[in-house]
Amino acid sequence: LSAGVCCCCAALRPRYKRLVDNIFPEDPKDGLVKADMEKLTFYAVSAPEKLDRIGSYLAERLSRDVVRHRYGYVLIAMEALDQLLMACHSQSIKPFVESFLHMVAKLLESGEPKLQVLGTNSFVKFANIEEDTPSYHRRYDFFVSRFSAMCHSSDHDPEIQTEIRMAGIRGIQGVVRKTVNDELRATIWEPQHMDKIVPSLLFNMQKIEDIDSRIGPPSSPTGREKEENPSVLAENCFRELLGRATYGNMNNAVRPVFAHLDHHRLWDPNEFAVSCFKIIMYSIQAQYSHHVIQEILGHLDVRKRDSPRVRAGIIQVLLEAVAIAAKGSIGPTVLEVFNTLLKHLRISVDFELGDRRSSAGSATFSTSSKENDERIVQNAIIQTIGFFGSNLPDYQRSEIMMFIMSKVPVLGATSKSLDPSHLGDLGTRRIQIMLLRSLLMVTSGYKATTISNALPAPFLDPLLSPSLMEDSELRQLVLEILHNLIDRHDNRAKLRGIRIIPDVSDLKIKRDKISRQDVSFMKKHGQQLYRHIYLGCKEEDNVQKNFELLFTSLALTTIELANEEVVIDLIRLAIALQDIAIINEDNLPMFNRCGVMALVAAYLNFLSQMIAVPAFCQHVSKVIETRTVEASYFLPETIFKDKCNLPTSLEKDETDLFFLTNKIAESLGGSGYNVERLSVPYVPQVTDEDRLSRRKSIVDTVSIQVDILSGNSIEDKVDNTEEITFEALKKAIDNNGLEEQEKEKRRLVIEKFQKAPFEEIAAQCETKANLLHDRLTQILELTIRPPPSPSGTMTITAGHAHYHSVPVYEMKFPDLCVY
């Protein structure tokens, strides 16, 4: 009877329960009953409205079996759930999924590793199923937390620990795949989830990274190693996560990386940090690179008070990031990168000098250690600036060159942002050197089509200013920057070192015909280049490298920018340099005088062979041969040796040892060169740069008073004559009334001589001479009686002149050129 009752009750049970019960065998070792499973699947597909009930019943049985530790039936229930998920894709599957996720959560909450792995595997299968419609209410907060916790498993059994960690990584990967493709369900990108997911992945990447870093560079893993290695799996998941990041959630994925590196102190050493950001930069979409760079810059600002090595580690990471980003899209962060780096450069110098002042009485080792650490930071900043700038396109690189140059502080002048006033001269010099070093790296490899593009006036003037500083290293950096910009055919390596080149043709110099734009540039700015080379040779602290760079500057100018007119100017400059050594008005040491003579010899030897005028080459060769025998210290091969016997004096009458202007003019004139200007000695322009750079001006006072007004043409000068009357002459000699006008005219005259080309000044002086002749002729036509005595004075009325015994007035004619 009882058996009949049980059978009757069983017959009255709902069909879906009977079908579910039938898939469980009496012995769980037999596994899922496949025939009954097929019936259950067919029933679920035919009546999808029953799916939620099937799921609830399966969840009920599974929960009971988990509590009773009947893990065989748990495995069967999960296998049935997986098959039902794969078979059913109707809209009514949503309630069934909720039951499924509830059962997976039960398995993950259990303390049994096998059940945790089982639940993870089922979730991964579910994550790979593409649902027809999204479920807006479904959340995966529990799974994110649980899978992240599994990634940090610390089980005493290494195999179980590895198995649980890999299950956690696969679970995170499943959550990512299930959520990131749905734009309306972007909760996975919220900070509370990213703060768990990203550190969990980095933790597993870091563990194996530490082992590999001790052993050496890791070899590429095989397929089996990829499956069993949590580090490789975590890295793949990390790359996949970043690859799916979009504009709005990129920052949320990157910021936890900084928190992890800070918490585990991975900036020093920073090998793992560099590895992480390389993965980030190569995994994200190229147009989002600037987001990562902005985050690194922001973190650098946050950690600006940390130890130098930590800051250097962050800057090194920035270097690796911009090295990758520079090849793609940088976005609006170019100037921000440089501005932030320059700011931290100033901060580093401030820290270094502050430590030096505060520890003046402390141990030398401590001070030296702090200074060396700050030098590491500074070198990292310079390297980053230079590398980033050298990888930018030309149009952006020229802007960065201008930007960096505007930050270089000049003693005696105010800087826009790098105010060095509180650092003193030492701090200013340090910043100058470091900025010029970074600018040198930015200009490396820069090839401008015209020299005016490489050296625009707003960039040329501030660049040449440091070349007048009383610091040989600053001047060397400026010359090297000039070489980078002028050398458009990579000839600089062939000219390295100052020497007498026997045959210039062996160097295989590359050059093009001088363009019209380059000719125009030399007419406008050639005098500036000559001036700075001239003044650079007069510095007392010049060493061999300074003379080598000055020689290279002259040679590159000849190759890239020299037409016939520029060649004459360069020869005038070389002769003026020779006069510096011979006359020695600046009281230069004997080494400097001989160095200048050697520089002139090396350059004229190079120039004569470049222009290939036989007579000129013969004169230069003869002088060099004479020097070789009688005064080898005038040649670079001798004077720049470690032990060189210097002469006690230089005799001005030893003409055989000098390059003579008249012979050079004679040799070039026979080859069609216009040599008239060779007779005019070269005199550099006078500017305010001498005052700003704290060097002695080439002239202490300017006593030349020449009235050349820039606003009037020559014709206006000639026609602007007026009748000489008593009133006009009275005004001319009235010093009190014209004092202010004289000061203004004097200023205009000085400015004219500073900036106007030599040819223009000579032409206007010639016009003034003609005007003077006409005026004097006009005066002599007046009736003038001879003076009664030498002490007599002259007054002039209209048409007559009378002499009286009153003080003599000086006659001045404001339109005349008076020397």
Side-chain angles (χ1 to χ4, degrees), residues 605-706:
N605 171 70
F606 176 82
L607 176 64
S608 62
Q609 296 185 56
M610 287 296 295
I611 63 177
V613 176
F616 185 25
C617 294
Q618 184 177 0
H619 171 64
V620 173
S621 299
K622 184 177 180 181
V623 173
I624 292 175
E625 291 174 0
T626 306
R627 289 185 178 185
T628 304
V629 177
E630 301 180 8
S632 60
Y633 43 78
F634 283 166
L635 298 176
E637 288 81 0
T638 302
I639 186 60
F640 296 123
K641 287 183 179 179
D642 293 336
K643 296 181 180 180
C644 175
N645 295 324
L646 298 176
T648 56
S649 62
L650 298 183
E651 300 297 334
K652 300 181 181 179
D653 55 354
E654 296 180 355
T655 56
D656 292 342
L657 300 176
F658 306 144
F659 301 98
L660 304 178
T661 305
N662 57 346
K663 292 189 177 181
I664 294 176
E666 181 181 351
S667 62
L668 294 179
S671 298
Y673 281 82
N674 184 4
V675 296
E676 293 180 0
R677 296 175 56 242
L678 283 177
S679 60
V680 182
Y682 170 78
V683 178
Q685 297 175 347
V686 183
T687 68
D688 289 337
E689 290 171 342
D690 303 294
R691 176 181 59 81
L692 294 179
S693 59
R694 287 190 180 178
R695 73 182 305 279
K696 295 179 181 179
S697 176
I698 61 172
V699 290
D700 295 330
T701 59
V702 180
S703 58
I704 302 175
Q705 299 182 11
V706 183

Side-chain angles (χ1 to χ4, degrees), residues 91 94 130-138 140 178 181-185:
Q91 293 184 358
K94 295 293 184 293
E130 295 185 4
E131 300 183 51
D132 296 335
T133 57
S135 177
Y136 304 123
H137 66 281
R138 190 185 304 158
Y140 297 92
K178 194 63 178 176
N181 290 329
D182 190 354
E183 296 181 358
L184 299 179
R185 191 174 59 239

Side-chain angles (χ1 to χ4, degrees), residues 489-509:
H489 296 87
D490 298 324
N491 293 311
R492 183 176 30 172
K494 304 171 185 177
L495 301 169
R496 185 173 293 120
I498 180 172
R499 64 195 187 280
I500 303 298
I501 303 174
D503 190 353
V504 174
S505 62
D506 293 340
L507 300 180
K508 297 181 180 180
I509 299 293

Side-chain angles (χ1 to χ4, degrees), residues 771-781 813 816:
L771 180 60
L772 176 61
H773 180 269
D774 295 340
R775 289 296 180 85
L776 291 176
T777 302
Q778 193 175 13
I779 292 172
L780 292 176
E781 291 178 354
F813 300 91
L816 303 184

